[in-house]
Amino acid sequence: MKSLRLLLCALPLALTGCSTLSSINWSAAYPWNWFGSSTEVTEQGVGKITAATALDQNAIQDALSSDYRLRSGMKTENGNIVRYYEALKGDKLALVINGDKGTVNRIAVMDEDIPTATGVKVGTPFSDLYKQAFGNCTSVPSDDKVAVECKAEGSQHISYVFTGTWSGPEGLMPSDDTLKSWKVSKIIWQQ
């Protein structure tokens, strides 16, 4: 009897569902989509942005969630003009997406909500990942601070940029004791 009542209640919806319920996003009702899919940095790229993604505003926006808005820019690099896209989350810079030959080849992640597949995210201390810089890290130029870039363990495409306070000369590697308190300021994915 209960199933008959249920059938009678559902029958009108089934008969008119195509016209009245067409605006509902039915894929969001699937249990595996209830908690959303989180964007992560993997060997393939960042979320849905990979080396196969066109360096095009529409392609990048389609690969990003709606939490981000894009703006494009140009800069000179080694005497060449290079296009790039910045993804903003609110008013905060979250990603910088560069490309070469029409596709994405480098992504810098500054968004704390985008970790690597191993759980490393912006703000992770150097001491949680490395015992020493030797063999893992190099000093790199940075806009406003001294920075050190370290290859992610077991990765060919992911590295971490650490920044912190240091009063030594620019271009030299800080000591391991100094680096212990430095934190990840960017996660870099490079083709």
Side-chain angles (χ1 to χ4, degrees):
M1 191 66 166
K2 260 187 176 175
S3 60
L4 182 59
R5 285 186 205 145
L6 184 61
L7 180 63
L8 289 174
C9 289
L11 189 59
L13 286 175
L15 293 174
T16 61
C18 292
S19 63
T20 60
L21 300 174
S22 62
S23 64
I24 294 175
N25 179 4
W26 289 104
S27 65
Y30 297 144
W32 51 86
N33 290 334
W34 288 352
F35 304 105
S37 60
S38 61
T39 302
E40 336 181 280
V41 181
T42 64
E43 284 296 298
Q44 290 71 41
V46 178
K48 295 178 184 174
I49 304 173
T50 66
T53 304
L55 189 65
D56 171 76
Q57 186 158 351
N58 291 332
I60 293 169
Q61 189 66 61
D62 287 346
L64 286 173
S65 75
S66 60
D67 295 340
Y68 302 94
R69 72 182 162 83
L70 286 179
R71 66 180 179 197
S72 64
M74 293 181 145
K75 62 182 177 181
T76 58
E77 195 172 274
N78 300 325
N80 296 321
I81 296 176
V82 179
R83 286 184 55 211
Y84 65 92
Y85 289 93
E86 294 179 336
L88 298 148
K89 192 174 190 180
D91 290 336
K92 192 173 177 187
L93 183 61
L95 301 161
V96 177
I97 302 153
N98 294 295
D100 186 30
K101 299 178 185 163
T103 57
V104 173
N105 71 351
R106 185 178 192 276
I107 305 167
V109 177
M110 286 77 70
D111 187 344
E112 297 169 357
D113 296 329
I114 302 178
T116 64
T118 58
V120 177
K121 61 183 183 175
V122 170
T124 301
F126 180 90
S127 60
D128 286 4
L129 303 172
Y130 303 97
K131 291 189 183 338
Q132 64 180 15
F134 182 76
N136 297 310
C137 310
T138 57
S139 181
V140 293
S142 180
D143 295 337
D144 56 346
K145 301 175 185 175
V146 175
V148 171
E149 186 170 344
C150 306
K151 263 313 216 187
E153 188 177 340
S155 174
Q156 295 179 10
H157 301 284
I158 301 169
S159 59
Y160 310 118
V161 175
F162 294 90
T163 53
T165 306
W166 188 54
S167 56
E170 189 176 321
L172 286 183
M173 179 75 68
S175 70
D176 291 333
D177 284 341
T178 301
L179 289 172
K180 282 181 187 176
S181 63
W182 286 24
K183 296 185 176 175
V184 173
S185 61
K186 291 179 189 174
I187 300 170
I188 307 291
W189 174 85
Q190 178 100 30
Q191 166 70 30

